[in-house]
């Protein structure tokens, strides 16, 4: 398994050339919707998963964000659907 940062350009080339699964690092803290978009784009471009720290634990509601990321990565939600889930679960 390889952990690397997501890049807006050329990420599909990285995933298509790598002989082992790739998970993306969460990187710097992003607004929740942007982190979900990054996760979605990475999965669509061949990543096997995400490994996020600060984008989960520095979120307004870490549990809601964890569930939203799971929805995007494992359940096929769009970033907007994941963000709606985050907002629905926030504070519960």
């Amino acid at each position: 398994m390889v952990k690397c940062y997501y890049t807006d350009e050329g990420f599909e080339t990285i995933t298509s050339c790598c002989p082992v699964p790739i998970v993306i690092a969460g990187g710097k803290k992003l607004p929740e919707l942007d982190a979900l978009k990054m996760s979605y784009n990475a999965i669509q471009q061949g990543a096997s998963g995400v490994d996020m720290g600060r984008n989960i634990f520095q979120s307004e509601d870490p549990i809601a964000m964890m569930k939203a990321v799971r929805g995007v990565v494992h359940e096929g939600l769009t970033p907007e659907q994941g963000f709606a889930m985050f907002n629905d679960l926030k504070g519960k």
Side-chain angles (χ1 to χ4, degrees):
M1 178 181 307
V2 171
K3 178 180 172 182
C4 70
Y5 290 108
Y6 175 76
T7 59
D8 288 328
E9 293 183 28
F11 192 72
E12 273 184 338
T13 301
I14 296 166
T15 59
S16 69
C17 294
C18 186
V20 297
I22 292 179
V23 296
I24 64 160
K28 67 180 181 176
K29 173 67 174 98
L30 300 170
E32 282 79 2
L33 180 57
D34 291 343
L36 294 169
K37 286 180 181 178
M38 179 178 67
S39 299
Y40 178 84
N41 291 339
I43 296 299
Q44 295 303 307
Q45 294 173 28
S48 296
V50 301
D51 181 14
M52 290 188 171
R54 77 190 87 223
N55 280 302
I56 299 288
F57 299 111
Q58 291 179 9
S59 172
E60 185 178 339
D61 187 322
I63 293 173
M65 186 59 176
M66 217 177 326
K67 290 179 179 181
V69 170
R70 182 193 65 212
V72 168
V73 172
H74 296 290
E75 298 169 9
L77 298 182
T78 66
E80 292 77 14
Q81 291 169 324
F83 190 59
M85 174 189 283
F86 169 76
N87 284 321
D88 288 345
L89 296 172
K90 198 167 42 172
K92 291 184 180 183

